[in-house]
Each structure stands twice: as C-alpha cells, then as structure tokens.
Amino acid sequence: MATADPAADLAPSELRVLVAVEATGGFTAAAAQLGLTQPAVSHAVRACERKIGVVLFERGRHGARPTPAGVRAVAHARRILRLLETLGAEARGAAAGVVEGPLRIAAFRSAAAHLLPPVLARLTARLPGVRPEVAIVREVGRGTAGEVADGRADIGIATLGGSQTIPAGLLSGRLFEEPYALAYPLGHREPRGLPLIDWDENCGSYTREWWSRREWLPRATIKAQDDSVVLSMVAQGMGMAVAPRLSLLGAPPGLAVEDLGECRPRREIGYVTTPAMAQSLAVRTFIRELRSTARTALDPA
C-alpha cells in the first residue's frame, strides 16, 4: 500500500461505504444497501485505502473482512458519521434549546429493565424530539463500552472496575455500587447445600476472590446466558445463585434472598460515552436523568 496522503480527506460518502462493507461482509451486499454499483463500492474502498495508506479489508471468495486497521477505521467512521448527524440536529435546535433525532443506548439486561424506563420517560418529556434506541448487550467481552467505542451506541450503561477495562478515549462516570446476595428457593432450609446456577455475564472479576474463600460455594452445575433465566430456575427449586441487586429486582415469585454480610461482593455501575457525544444535549440530559434515577435505583420500595 502506498504512503498515505495527509492532504486527502475522506468524504462522508466514503465513510458510509466502509461502514456498509463491514456491516454486510461484502462489496456486493454493501452496494445493494447503499443503492450503488459494486464497482462504485470497490472504487470507494480503494480510495479510502489509498488516502489512509493501509489495507482496510481482506478480499476473498467469501466476501470482505476488515483487517485490524479496518476494524479501527470503521469504528472511527461510525463515530464521525454520528457526529455529523448530531451536528445538524444540535444546530437546528440551538435557538430553542431542543434537539431531534435518535439517541442510541447500549445497556445490559437488568440495567435496561430497572434503570432505563424512568430515565427515558423523563428524557422524552424534556426533549420530545429525541427517539431512544435501546440495544440490550451482554456485559461480557467488550460489552456495552465496546458498543460505544465502535460507534454503535452514543452512550452505554456498563459495569466499571472489572476485569475488562474501558476502551481508551472514552469517558466514564460512576452511578452506584450494588451488592450481591444469595438467591434460593423460598422455604428451603439449607440453601447453601443446593447446586449453583450461574450465567456468563455474572461479572466474575467482582466475585472471583470472594468465591475462592467460600468453601460452601460449589462450581456451577447449570449455566444460562441470562440472569432472568437463572433466577427462574432458582425459583423452581433447581438450585441457588449469587446475583447482584439489579438482577434481583422484580425477581419471580418463589425466590428468597439472603444478605451475604459485610464482606459480600459488590460491583460498580456507571455510564460510558465519547468526549464528543458527552457535549450533545441529548446525552447530557440523559446522564442527568440517569444520575437522578440511580440515587434510588436500589431502594427496596
């Protein structure tokens, strides 16, 4: 690949092509999505590669896959395109202090279920033109923070301080700390002798050291991908679970909860966004309402 041309800026149309190729996995599919011809998409990708000075996609019989450079370029492309969209919306509403358009939110299931409804109700009352778009993202791997870093979300509700660090370049803010508790079938006399039911998203980095010091806590014998499924199994008498407070809110009937004492594990819940999106009216208002809701998020009432 030739040396990059620093004087050659990428056009928004070229950024859209990069995003479409990555999303569809091929030049032909991207062309259909964008209403272009396949040669036009191929030409646009080559132009981007020439301007940047690096190969962005591996071409093959099975389509086009982004190279490591391509993964990063597409993430930037998404974020730039979103900023251009936000620029227009913010400018049009500047005089009246309003804004219109989508607000893309990534959240793990229990946060989406118990934090977002009151937040979004107040947000849309303040900014009726904002259209929330909520993606439920499992908090494993890169989780909700990864969605923000990759330009797929404007803001994410995330677990902070665990084994997965927040991607560089993002802003984060702490909302509250939630404790873990033991969930077991209602009426069971020896819950600590039950099989353990767990799920991959259960933030092991918060509990690993605590679990290692509990001789009564066995290896998980049943695993599920969702905390609500785990708690339903517990309520049916299939075992016990160690779960964070948000997951236990609205738990099914037939479930009992035991406090694990002063040494119980805890996890931090917060938000992540980009420095640029943090300046937008919709995101600023969302964070303000989120902080207000978080103050009473774990109130038993």
Side-chain angles (χ1 to χ4, degrees), residues 78-79 82 103-107 133 135 137 144-157 170 272-274 277:
R78 286 198 196 94
R79 288 162 64 171
R82 178 60 178 141
L103 175 63
R104 304 172 307 161
I105 304 159
E133 298 176 356
V137 178
T144 57
E147 294 295 293
V148 176
D150 292 344
R152 293 187 176 91
D154 303 323
I155 188 165
I157 301 177
L170 297 187
V272 292
T273 186
T274 65
M277 289 307 300

mmCIF file with all atom_site columns, all heavy atoms in Angstrom, residues 78-79 82 103-107 133 135 137 144-157 170 272-274 277:
data_model
loop_
_atom_site.group_PDB
_atom_site.id
_atom_site.type_symbol
_atom_site.label_atom_id
_atom_site.label_alt_id
_atom_site.label_comp_id
_atom_site.label_asym_id
_atom_site.label_entity_id
_atom_site.label_seq_id
_atom_site.pdbx_PDB_ins_code
_atom_site.Cartn_x
_atom_site.Cartn_y
_atom_site.Cartn_z
_atom_site.occupancy
_atom_site.B_iso_or_equiv
_atom_site.pdbx_formal_charge
_atom_site.auth_seq_id
_atom_site.auth_comp_id
_atom_site.auth_asym_id
_atom_site.auth_atom_id
_atom_site.pdbx_PDB_model_num
ATOM 1   N N   . ARG A 1 78  ? -17.966 5.246  11.928 1.00 0.00 ? 78  ARG A N   1
ATOM 2   C CA  . ARG A 1 78  ? -19.288 5.292  12.551 1.00 0.00 ? 78  ARG A CA  1
ATOM 3   C C   . ARG A 1 78  ? -19.421 6.503  13.467 1.00 0.00 ? 78  ARG A C   1
ATOM 4   O O   . ARG A 1 78  ? -20.444 7.199  13.472 1.00 0.00 ? 78  ARG A O   1
ATOM 5   C CB  . ARG A 1 78  ? -19.544 4.024  13.367 1.00 0.00 ? 78  ARG A CB  1
ATOM 6   C CG  . ARG A 1 78  ? -19.833 2.780  12.564 1.00 0.00 ? 78  ARG A CG  1
ATOM 7   C CD  . ARG A 1 78  ? -20.485 1.730  13.467 1.00 0.00 ? 78  ARG A CD  1
ATOM 8   N NE  . ARG A 1 78  ? -20.437 0.415  12.846 1.00 0.00 ? 78  ARG A NE  1
ATOM 9   C CZ  . ARG A 1 78  ? -19.482 -0.474 13.055 1.00 0.00 ? 78  ARG A CZ  1
ATOM 10  N NH1 . ARG A 1 78  ? -18.492 -0.202 13.897 1.00 0.00 ? 78  ARG A NH1 1
ATOM 11  N NH2 . ARG A 1 78  ? -19.503 -1.630 12.453 1.00 0.00 ? 78  ARG A NH2 1
ATOM 12  N N   . ARG A 1 79  ? -18.389 6.731  14.249 1.00 0.00 ? 79  ARG A N   1
ATOM 13  C CA  . ARG A 1 79  ? -18.454 7.843  15.197 1.00 0.00 ? 79  ARG A CA  1
ATOM 14  C C   . ARG A 1 79  ? -18.471 9.186  14.481 1.00 0.00 ? 79  ARG A C   1
ATOM 15  O O   . ARG A 1 79  ? -19.192 10.118 14.885 1.00 0.00 ? 79  ARG A O   1
ATOM 16  C CB  . ARG A 1 79  ? -17.280 7.745  16.179 1.00 0.00 ? 79  ARG A CB  1
ATOM 17  C CG  . ARG A 1 79  ? -17.473 6.601  17.167 1.00 0.00 ? 79  ARG A CG  1
ATOM 18  C CD  . ARG A 1 79  ? -16.211 6.164  17.870 1.00 0.00 ? 79  ARG A CD  1
ATOM 19  N NE  . ARG A 1 79  ? -15.636 7.199  18.714 1.00 0.00 ? 79  ARG A NE  1
ATOM 20  C CZ  . ARG A 1 79  ? -14.626 6.993  19.556 1.00 0.00 ? 79  ARG A CZ  1
ATOM 21  N NH1 . ARG A 1 79  ? -14.111 5.782  19.658 1.00 0.00 ? 79  ARG A NH1 1
ATOM 22  N NH2 . ARG A 1 79  ? -14.151 7.967  20.292 1.00 0.00 ? 79  ARG A NH2 1
ATOM 23  N N   . ARG A 1 82  ? -21.883 9.726  12.978 1.00 0.00 ? 82  ARG A N   1
ATOM 24  C CA  . ARG A 1 82  ? -22.841 10.059 14.034 1.00 0.00 ? 82  ARG A CA  1
ATOM 25  C C   . ARG A 1 82  ? -22.671 11.504 14.476 1.00 0.00 ? 82  ARG A C   1
ATOM 26  O O   . ARG A 1 82  ? -23.651 12.208 14.732 1.00 0.00 ? 82  ARG A O   1
ATOM 27  C CB  . ARG A 1 82  ? -22.646 9.110  15.210 1.00 0.00 ? 82  ARG A CB  1
ATOM 28  C CG  . ARG A 1 82  ? -23.568 9.390  16.392 1.00 0.00 ? 82  ARG A CG  1
ATOM 29  C CD  . ARG A 1 82  ? -25.019 9.267  16.006 1.00 0.00 ? 82  ARG A CD  1
ATOM 30  N NE  . ARG A 1 82  ? -25.884 9.483  17.161 1.00 0.00 ? 82  ARG A NE  1
ATOM 31  C CZ  . ARG A 1 82  ? -27.028 10.145 17.126 1.00 0.00 ? 82  ARG A CZ  1
ATOM 32  N NH1 . ARG A 1 82  ? -27.471 10.659 15.983 1.00 0.00 ? 82  ARG A NH1 1
ATOM 33  N NH2 . ARG A 1 82  ? -27.756 10.286 18.216 1.00 0.00 ? 82  ARG A NH2 1
ATOM 34  N N   . LEU A 1 103 ? -31.282 8.673  19.886 1.00 0.00 ? 103 LEU A N   1
ATOM 35  C CA  . LEU A 1 103 ? -30.263 8.565  20.927 1.00 0.00 ? 103 LEU A CA  1
ATOM 36  C C   . LEU A 1 103 ? -30.030 7.082  21.118 1.00 0.00 ? 103 LEU A C   1
ATOM 37  O O   . LEU A 1 103 ? -30.908 6.348  21.583 1.00 0.00 ? 103 LEU A O   1
ATOM 38  C CB  . LEU A 1 103 ? -30.714 9.202  22.239 1.00 0.00 ? 103 LEU A CB  1
ATOM 39  C CG  . LEU A 1 103 ? -29.750 9.033  23.421 1.00 0.00 ? 103 LEU A CG  1
ATOM 40  C CD1 . LEU A 1 103 ? -28.428 9.726  23.134 1.00 0.00 ? 103 LEU A CD1 1
ATOM 41  C CD2 . LEU A 1 103 ? -30.363 9.550  24.716 1.00 0.00 ? 103 LEU A CD2 1
ATOM 42  N N   . ARG A 1 104 ? -28.855 6.613  20.733 1.00 0.00 ? 104 ARG A N   1
ATOM 43  C CA  . ARG A 1 104 ? -28.551 5.175  20.739 1.00 0.00 ? 104 ARG A CA  1
ATOM 44  C C   . ARG A 1 104 ? -27.931 4.785  22.076 1.00 0.00 ? 104 ARG A C   1
ATOM 45  O O   . ARG A 1 104 ? -26.877 5.297  22.449 1.00 0.00 ? 104 ARG A O   1
ATOM 46  C CB  . ARG A 1 104 ? -27.621 4.841  19.575 1.00 0.00 ? 104 ARG A CB  1
ATOM 47  C CG  . ARG A 1 104 ? -28.183 5.280  18.209 1.00 0.00 ? 104 ARG A CG  1
ATOM 48  C CD  . ARG A 1 104 ? -27.155 5.104  17.123 1.00 0.00 ? 104 ARG A CD  1
ATOM 49  N NE  . ARG A 1 104 ? -25.911 5.777  17.486 1.00 0.00 ? 104 ARG A NE  1
ATOM 50  C CZ  . ARG A 1 104 ? -24.721 5.510  16.929 1.00 0.00 ? 104 ARG A CZ  1
ATOM 51  N NH1 . ARG A 1 104 ? -24.618 4.594  16.000 1.00 0.00 ? 104 ARG A NH1 1
ATOM 52  N NH2 . ARG A 1 104 ? -23.650 6.177  17.309 1.00 0.00 ? 104 ARG A NH2 1
ATOM 53  N N   . ILE A 1 105 ? -28.598 3.883  22.789 1.00 0.00 ? 105 ILE A N   1
ATOM 54  C CA  . ILE A 1 105 ? -28.202 3.491  24.142 1.00 0.00 ? 105 ILE A CA  1
ATOM 55  C C   . ILE A 1 105 ? -27.913 1.990  24.162 1.00 0.00 ? 105 ILE A C   1
ATOM 56  O O   . ILE A 1 105 ? -28.706 1.195  23.665 1.00 0.00 ? 105 ILE A O   1
ATOM 57  C CB  . ILE A 1 105 ? -29.329 3.801  25.143 1.00 0.00 ? 105 ILE A CB  1
ATOM 58  C CG1 . ILE A 1 105 ? -29.713 5.289  25.078 1.00 0.00 ? 105 ILE A CG1 1
ATOM 59  C CG2 . ILE A 1 105 ? -28.918 3.414  26.566 1.00 0.00 ? 105 ILE A CG2 1
ATOM 60  C CD1 . ILE A 1 105 ? -31.098 5.581  25.618 1.00 0.00 ? 105 ILE A CD1 1
ATOM 61  N N   . ALA A 1 106 ? -26.791 1.615  24.739 1.00 0.00 ? 106 ALA A N   1
ATOM 62  C CA  . ALA A 1 106 ? -26.465 0.205  24.955 1.00 0.00 ? 106 ALA A CA  1
ATOM 63  C C   . ALA A 1 106 ? -26.523 -0.062 26.454 1.00 0.00 ? 106 ALA A C   1
ATOM 64  O O   . ALA A 1 106 ? -25.978 0.706  27.251 1.00 0.00 ? 106 ALA A O   1
ATOM 65  C CB  . ALA A 1 106 ? -25.078 -0.128 24.408 1.00 0.00 ? 106 ALA A CB  1
ATOM 66  N N   . ALA A 1 107 ? -27.187 -1.139 26.853 1.00 0.00 ? 107 ALA A N   1
ATOM 67  C CA  . ALA A 1 107 ? -27.314 -1.453 28.274 1.00 0.00 ? 107 ALA A CA  1
ATOM 68  C C   . ALA A 1 107 ? -27.429 -2.959 28.452 1.00 0.00 ? 107 ALA A C   1
ATOM 69  O O   . ALA A 1 107 ? -27.970 -3.649 27.590 1.00 0.00 ? 107 ALA A O   1
ATOM 70  C CB  . ALA A 1 107 ? -28.538 -0.769 28.878 1.00 0.00 ? 107 ALA A CB  1
ATOM 71  N N   . GLU A 1 133 ? -33.160 4.650  21.179 1.00 0.00 ? 133 GLU A N   1
ATOM 72  C CA  . GLU A 1 133 ? -32.987 3.343  20.565 1.00 0.00 ? 133 GLU A CA  1
ATOM 73  C C   . GLU A 1 133 ? -32.119 2.518  21.517 1.00 0.00 ? 133 GLU A C   1
ATOM 74  O O   . GLU A 1 133 ? -30.945 2.829  21.702 1.00 0.00 ? 133 GLU A O   1
ATOM 75  C CB  . GLU A 1 133 ? -32.317 3.463  19.197 1.00 0.00 ? 133 GLU A CB  1
ATOM 76  C CG  . GLU A 1 133 ? -33.130 4.271  18.179 1.00 0.00 ? 133 GLU A CG  1
ATOM 77  C CD  . GLU A 1 133 ? -32.393 4.449  16.864 1.00 0.00 ? 133 GLU A CD  1
ATOM 78  O OE1 . GLU A 1 133 ? -31.211 4.013  16.777 1.00 0.00 ? 133 GLU A OE1 1
ATOM 79  O OE2 . GLU A 1 133 ? -32.971 5.050  15.933 1.00 0.00 ? 133 GLU A OE2 1
ATOM 80  N N   . ALA A 1 135 ? -30.299 -0.916 22.770 1.00 0.00 ? 135 ALA A N   1
ATOM 81  C CA  . ALA A 1 135 ? -29.756 -2.219 22.409 1.00 0.00 ? 135 ALA A CA  1
ATOM 82  C C   . ALA A 1 135 ? -29.375 -2.951 23.689 1.00 0.00 ? 135 ALA A C   1
ATOM 83  O O   . ALA A 1 135 ? -28.624 -2.409 24.515 1.00 0.00 ? 135 ALA A O   1
ATOM 84  C CB  . ALA A 1 135 ? -28.542 -2.072 21.504 1.00 0.00 ? 135 ALA A CB  1
ATOM 85  N N   . VAL A 1 137 ? -27.196 -5.477 25.431 1.00 0.00 ? 137 VAL A N   1
ATOM 86  C CA  . VAL A 1 137 ? -25.877 -6.028 25.133 1.00 0.00 ? 137 VAL A CA  1
ATOM 87  C C   . VAL A 1 137 ? -25.399 -6.816 26.342 1.00 0.00 ? 137 VAL A C   1
ATOM 88  O O   . VAL A 1 137 ? -25.427 -6.311 27.478 1.00 0.00 ? 137 VAL A O   1
ATOM 89  C CB  . VAL A 1 137 ? -24.870 -4.905 24.803 1.00 0.00 ? 137 VAL A CB  1
ATOM 90  C CG1 . VAL A 1 137 ? -23.484 -5.476 24.551 1.00 0.00 ? 137 VAL A CG1 1
ATOM 91  C CG2 . VAL A 1 137 ? -25.351 -4.102 23.598 1.00 0.00 ? 137 VAL A CG2 1
ATOM 92  N N   . THR A 1 144 ? -20.984 -3.274 26.735 1.00 0.00 ? 144 THR A N   1
ATOM 93  C CA  . THR A 1 144 ? -21.608 -2.031 26.297 1.00 0.00 ? 144 THR A CA  1
ATOM 94  C C   . THR A 1 144 ? -20.567 -0.955 25.962 1.00 0.00 ? 144 THR A C   1
ATOM 95  O O   . THR A 1 144 ? -20.776 -0.154 25.057 1.00 0.00 ? 144 THR A O   1
ATOM 96  C CB  . THR A 1 144 ? -22.557 -1.495 27.384 1.00 0.00 ? 144 THR A CB  1
ATOM 97  O OG1 . THR A 1 144 ? -21.824 -1.321 28.604 1.00 0.00 ? 144 THR A OG1 1
ATOM 98  C CG2 . THR A 1 144 ? -23.695 -2.460 27.640 1.00 0.00 ? 144 THR A CG2 1
ATOM 99  N N   . ALA A 1 145 ? -19.457 -0.945 26.686 1.00 0.00 ? 145 ALA A N   1
ATOM 100 C CA  . ALA A 1 145 ? -18.404 0.034  26.393 1.00 0.00 ? 145 ALA A CA  1
ATOM 101 C C   . ALA A 1 145 ? -17.855 -0.180 24.985 1.00 0.00 ? 145 ALA A C   1
ATOM 102 O O   . ALA A 1 145 ? -17.519 0.778  24.282 1.00 0.00 ? 145 ALA A O   1
ATOM 103 C CB  . ALA A 1 145 ? -17.286 -0.059 27.427 1.00 0.00 ? 145 ALA A CB  1
ATOM 104 N N   . GLY A 1 146 ? -17.746 -1.438 24.572 1.00 0.00 ? 146 GLY A N   1
ATOM 105 C CA  . GLY A 1 146 ? -17.282 -1.732 23.228 1.00 0.00 ? 146 GLY A CA  1
ATOM 106 C C   . GLY A 1 146 ? -18.233 -1.217 22.173 1.00 0.00 ? 146 GLY A C   1
ATOM 107 O O   . GLY A 1 146 ? -17.802 -0.767 21.092 1.00 0.00 ? 146 GLY A O   1
ATOM 108 N N   . GLU A 1 147 ? -19.538 -1.254 22.451 1.00 0.00 ? 147 GLU A N   1
ATOM 109 C CA  . GLU A 1 147 ? -20.518 -0.711 21.510 1.00 0.00 ? 147 GLU A CA  1
ATOM 110 C C   . GLU A 1 147 ? -20.316 0.783  21.315 1.00 0.00 ? 147 GLU A C   1
ATOM 111 O O   . GLU A 1 147 ? -20.432 1.306  20.206 1.00 0.00 ? 147 GLU A O   1
ATOM 112 C CB  . GLU A 1 147 ? -21.937 -0.978 22.014 1.00 0.00 ? 147 GLU A CB  1
ATOM 113 C CG  . GLU A 1 147 ? -22.319 -2.444 22.047 1.00 0.00 ? 147 GLU A CG  1
ATOM 114 C CD  . GLU A 1 147 ? -22.374 -3.050 20.664 1.00 0.00 ? 147 GLU A CD  1
ATOM 115 O OE1 . GLU A 1 147 ? -23.259 -2.663 19.881 1.00 0.00 ? 147 GLU A OE1 1
ATOM 116 O OE2 . GLU A 1 147 ? -21.530 -3.928 20.370 1.00 0.00 ? 147 GLU A OE2 1
ATOM 117 N N   . VAL A 1 148 ? -19.999 1.488  22.400 1.00 0.00 ? 148 VAL A N   1
ATOM 118 C CA  . VAL A 1 148 ? -19.743 2.927  22.307 1.00 0.00 ? 148 VAL A CA  1
ATOM 119 C C   . VAL A 1 148 ? -18.441 3.186  21.556 1.00 0.00 ? 148 VAL A C   1
ATOM 120 O O   . VAL A 1 148 ? -18.372 4.047  20.673 1.00 0.00 ? 148 VAL A O   1
ATOM 121 C CB  . VAL A 1 148 ? -19.699 3.561  23.710 1.00 0.00 ? 148 VAL A CB  1
ATOM 122 C CG1 . VAL A 1 148 ? -19.326 5.042  23.633 1.00 0.00 ? 148 VAL A CG1 1
ATOM 123 C CG2 . VAL A 1 148 ? -21.045 3.398  24.405 1.00 0.00 ? 148 VAL A CG2 1
ATOM 124 N N   . ALA A 1 149 ? -17.396 2.440  21.900 1.00 0.00 ? 149 ALA A N   1
ATOM 125 C CA  . ALA A 1 149 ? -16.099 2.621  21.245 1.00 0.00 ? 149 ALA A CA  1
ATOM 126 C C   . ALA A 1 149 ? -16.182 2.350  19.750 1.00 0.00 ? 149 ALA A C   1
ATOM 127 O O   . ALA A 1 149 ? -15.502 3.003  18.947 1.00 0.00 ? 149 ALA A O   1
ATOM 128 C CB  . ALA A 1 149 ? -15.055 1.709  21.884 1.00 0.00 ? 149 ALA A CB  1
ATOM 129 N N   . ASP A 1 150 ? -17.032 1.391  19.358 1.00 0.00 ? 150 ASP A N   1
ATOM 130 C CA  . ASP A 1 150 ? -17.163 1.025  17.944 1.00 0.00 ? 150 ASP A CA  1
ATOM 131 C C   . ASP A 1 150 ? -18.139 1.911  17.191 1.00 0.00 ? 150 ASP A C   1
ATOM 132 O O   . ASP A 1 150 ? -18.391 1.688  16.005 1.00 0.00 ? 150 ASP A O   1
ATOM 133 C CB  . ASP A 1 150 ? -17.603 -0.435 17.819 1.00 0.00 ? 150 ASP A CB  1
ATOM 134 C CG  . ASP A 1 150 ? -16.528 -1.408 18.278 1.00 0.00 ? 150 ASP A CG  1
ATOM 135 O OD1 . ASP A 1 150 ? -15.362 -0.986 18.398 1.00 0.00 ? 150 ASP A OD1 1
ATOM 136 O OD2 . ASP A 1 150 ? -16.852 -2.583 18.526 1.00 0.00 ? 150 ASP A OD2 1
ATOM 137 N N   . GLY A 1 151 ? -18.723 2.896  17.876 1.00 0.00 ? 151 GLY A N   1
ATOM 138 C CA  . GLY A 1 151 ? -19.622 3.824  17.205 1.00 0.00 ? 151 GLY A CA  1
ATOM 139 C C   . GLY A 1 151 ? -21.031 3.313  17.016 1.00 0.00 ? 151 GLY A C   1
ATOM 140 O O   . GLY A 1 151 ? -21.818 3.922  16.292 1.00 0.00 ? 151 GLY A O   1
ATOM 141 N N   . ARG A 1 152 ? -21.383 2.210  17.668 1.00 0.00 ? 152 ARG A N   1
ATOM 142 C CA  . ARG A 1 152 ? -22.729 1.662  17.530 1.00 0.00 ? 152 ARG A CA  1
ATOM 143 C C   . ARG A 1 152 ? -23.699 2.241  18.560 1.00 0.00 ? 152 ARG A C   1
ATOM 144 O O   . ARG A 1 152 ? -24.907 2.052  18.442 1.00 0.00 ? 152 ARG A O   1
ATOM 145 C CB  . ARG A 1 152 ? -22.699 0.129  17.667 1.00 0.00 ? 152 ARG A CB  1
ATOM 146 C CG  . ARG A 1 152 ? -21.967 -0.578 16.541 1.00 0.00 ? 152 ARG A CG  1
ATOM 147 C CD  . ARG A 1 152 ? -22.139 -2.092 16.655 1.00 0.00 ? 152 ARG A CD  1
ATOM 148 N NE  . ARG A 1 152 ? -21.531 -2.778 15.537 1.00 0.00 ? 152 ARG A NE  1
ATOM 149 C CZ  . ARG A 1 152 ? -20.274 -3.225 15.501 1.00 0.00 ? 152 ARG A CZ  1
ATOM 150 N NH1 . ARG A 1 152 ? -19.499 -3.033 16.562 1.00 0.00 ? 152 ARG A NH1 1
ATOM 151 N NH2 . ARG A 1 152 ? -19.797 -3.832 14.445 1.00 0.00 ? 152 ARG A NH2 1
ATOM 152 N N   . ALA A 1 153 ? -23.189 2.874  19.590 1.00 0.00 ? 153 ALA A N   1
ATOM 153 C CA  . ALA A 1 153 ? -24.027 3.474  20.621 1.00 0.00 ? 153 ALA A CA  1
ATOM 154 C C   . ALA A 1 153 ? -23.446 4.831  21.002 1.00 0.00 ? 153 ALA A C   1
ATOM 155 O O   . ALA A 1 153 ? -22.230 5.035  20.956 1.00 0.00 ? 153 ALA A O   1
ATOM 156 C CB  . ALA A 1 153 ? -24.112 2.570  21.845 1.00 0.00 ? 153 ALA A CB  1
ATOM 157 N N   . ASP A 1 154 ? -24.329 5.743  21.380 1.00 0.00 ? 154 ASP A N   1
ATOM 158 C CA  . ASP A 1 154 ? -23.891 7.068  21.834 1.00 0.00 ? 154 ASP A CA  1
ATOM 159 C C   . ASP A 1 154 ? -23.473 7.033  23.297 1.00 0.00 ? 154 ASP A C   1
ATOM 160 O O   . ASP A 1 154 ? -22.591 7.791  23.710 1.00 0.00 ? 154 ASP A O   1
ATOM 161 C CB  . ASP A 1 154 ? -25.028 8.089  21.657 1.00 0.00 ? 154 ASP A CB  1
ATOM 162 C CG  . ASP A 1 154 ? -25.508 8.171  20.222 1.00 0.00 ? 154 ASP A CG  1
ATOM 163 O OD1 . ASP A 1 154 ? -24.654 8.062  19.307 1.00 0.00 ? 154 ASP A OD1 1
ATOM 164 O OD2 . ASP A 1 154 ? -26.720 8.330  20.006 1.00 0.00 ? 154 ASP A OD2 1
ATOM 165 N N   . ILE A 1 155 ? -24.130 6.183  24.063 1.00 0.00 ? 155 ILE A N   1
ATOM 166 C CA  . ILE A 1 155 ? -23.829 6.068  25.491 1.00 0.00 ? 155 ILE A CA  1
ATOM 167 C C   . ILE A 1 155 ? -24.192 4.652  25.929 1.00 0.00 ? 155 ILE A C   1
ATOM 168 O O   . ILE A 1 155 ? -25.107 4.032  25.380 1.00 0.00 ? 155 ILE A O   1
ATOM 169 C CB  . ILE A 1 155 ? -24.609 7.112  26.317 1.00 0.00 ? 155 ILE A CB  1
ATOM 170 C CG1 . ILE A 1 155 ? -24.143 7.112  27.779 1.00 0.00 ? 155 ILE A CG1 1
ATOM 171 C CG2 . ILE A 1 155 ? -26.116 6.929  26.205 1.00 0.00 ? 155 ILE A CG2 1
ATOM 172 C CD1 . ILE A 1 155 ? -24.600 8.339  28.568 1.00 0.00 ? 155 ILE A CD1 1
ATOM 173 N N   . GLY A 1 156 ? -23.445 4.126  26.888 1.00 0.00 ? 156 GLY A N   1
ATOM 174 C CA  . GLY A 1 156 ? -23.712 2.792  27.388 1.00 0.00 ? 156 GLY A CA  1
ATOM 175 C C   . GLY A 1 156 ? -23.791 2.775  28.901 1.00 0.00 ? 156 GLY A C   1
ATOM 176 O O   . GLY A 1 156 ? -23.089 3.546  29.574 1.00 0.00 ? 156 GLY A O   1
ATOM 177 N N   . ILE A 1 157 ? -24.649 1.934  29.432 1.00 0.00 ? 157 ILE A N   1
ATOM 178 C CA  . ILE A 1 157 ? -24.660 1.661  30.868 1.00 0.00 ? 157 ILE A CA  1
ATOM 179 C C   . ILE A 1 157 ? -23.817 0.419  31.065 1.00 0.00 ? 157 ILE A C   1
ATOM 180 O O   . ILE A 1 157 ? -24.095 -0.634 30.484 1.00 0.00 ? 157 ILE A O   1
ATOM 181 C CB  . ILE A 1 157 ? -26.085 1.452  31.389 1.00 0.00 ? 157 ILE A CB  1
ATOM 182 C CG1 . ILE A 1 157 ? -26.925 2.702  31.123 1.00 0.00 ? 157 ILE A CG1 1
ATOM 183 C CG2 . ILE A 1 157 ? -26.067 1.148  32.887 1.00 0.00 ? 157 ILE A CG2 1
ATOM 184 C CD1 . ILE A 1 157 ? -28.370 2.560  31.553 1.00 0.00 ? 157 ILE A CD1 1
ATOM 185 N N   . LEU A 1 170 ? -12.613 6.886  25.902 1.00 0.00 ? 170 LEU A N   1
ATOM 186 C CA  . LEU A 1 170 ? -13.989 7.054  26.347 1.00 0.00 ? 170 LEU A CA  1
ATOM 187 C C   . LEU A 1 170 ? -14.039 7.739  27.707 1.00 0.00 ? 170 LEU A C   1
ATOM 188 O O   . LEU A 1 170 ? -13.102 7.651  28.499 1.00 0.00 ? 170 LEU A O   1
ATOM 189 C CB  . LEU A 1 170 ? -14.700 5.700  26.444 1.00 0.00 ? 170 LEU A CB  1
ATOM 190 C CG  . LEU A 1 170 ? -14.868 4.889  25.167 1.00 0.00 ? 170 LEU A CG  1
ATOM 191 C CD1 . LEU A 1 170 ? -15.755 3.672  25.433 1.00 0.00 ? 170 LEU A CD1 1
ATOM 192 C CD2 . LEU A 1 170 ? -15.426 5.721  24.037 1.00 0.00 ? 170 LEU A CD2 1
ATOM 193 N N   . VAL A 1 272 ? -20.726 5.083  30.050 1.00 0.00 ? 272 VAL A N   1
ATOM 194 C CA  . VAL A 1 272 ? -19.580 5.396  29.196 1.00 0.00 ? 272 VAL A CA  1
ATOM 195 C C   . VAL A 1 272 ? -20.091 6.081  27.941 1.00 0.00 ? 272 VAL A C   1
ATOM 196 O O   . VAL A 1 272 ? -21.159 5.755  27.418 1.00 0.00 ? 272 VAL A O   1
ATOM 197 C CB  . VAL A 1 272 ? -18.785 4.121  28.812 1.00 0.00 ? 272 VAL A CB  1
ATOM 198 C CG1 . VAL A 1 272 ? -18.090 3.537  30.014 1.00 0.00 ? 272 VAL A CG1 1
ATOM 199 C CG2 . VAL A 1 272 ? -19.683 3.078  28.167 1.00 0.00 ? 272 VAL A CG2 1
ATOM 200 N N   . THR A 1 273 ? -19.324 7.052  27.466 1.00 0.00 ? 273 THR A N   1
ATOM 201 C CA  . THR A 1 273 ? -19.651 7.751  26.231 1.00 0.00 ? 273 THR A CA  1
ATOM 202 C C   . THR A 1 273 ? -18.356 8.311  25.656 1.00 0.00 ? 273 THR A C   1
ATOM 203 O O   . THR A 1 273 ? -17.279 8.111  26.235 1.00 0.00 ? 273 THR A O   1
ATOM 204 C CB  . THR A 1 273 ? -20.696 8.862  26.471 1.00 0.00 ? 273 THR A CB  1
ATOM 205 O OG1 . THR A 1 273 ? -21.101 9.434  25.215 1.00 0.00 ? 273 THR A OG1 1
ATOM 206 C CG2 . THR A 1 273 ? -20.142 9.974  27.368 1.00 0.00 ? 273 THR A CG2 1
ATOM 207 N N   . THR A 1 274 ? -18.439 8.979  24.533 1.00 0.00 ? 274 THR A N   1
ATOM 208 C CA  . THR A 1 274 ? -17.260 9.600  23.953 1.00 0.00 ? 274 THR A CA  1
ATOM 209 C C   . THR A 1 274 ? -17.200 11.057 24.376 1.00 0.00 ? 274 THR A C   1
ATOM 210 O O   . THR A 1 274 ? -18.238 11.660 24.693 1.00 0.00 ? 274 THR A O   1
ATOM 211 C CB  . THR A 1 274 ? -17.284 9.521  22.416 1.00 0.00 ? 274 THR A CB  1
ATOM 212 O OG1 . THR A 1 274 ? -18.395 10.297 21.928 1.00 0.00 ? 274 THR A OG1 1
ATOM 213 C CG2 . THR A 1 274 ? -17.426 8.075  21.945 1.00 0.00 ? 274 THR A CG2 1
ATOM 214 N N   . MET A 1 277 ? -19.660 13.069 22.117 1.00 0.00 ? 277 MET A N   1
ATOM 215 C CA  . MET A 1 277 ? -21.089 12.889 22.373 1.00 0.00 ? 277 MET A CA  1
ATOM 216 C C   . MET A 1 277 ? -21.484 13.411 23.740 1.00 0.00 ? 277 MET A C   1
ATOM 217 O O   . MET A 1 277 ? -22.648 13.768 23.956 1.00 0.00 ? 277 MET A O   1
ATOM 218 C CB  . MET A 1 277 ? -21.456 11.408 22.239 1.00 0.00 ? 277 MET A CB  1
ATOM 219 C CG  . MET A 1 277 ? -21.421 10.869 20.818 1.00 0.00 ? 277 MET A CG  1
ATOM 220 S SD  . MET A 1 277 ? -22.412 11.824 19.626 1.00 0.00 ? 277 MET A SD  1
ATOM 221 C CE  . MET A 1 277 ? -24.056 11.707 20.330 1.00 0.00 ? 277 MET A CE  1
#
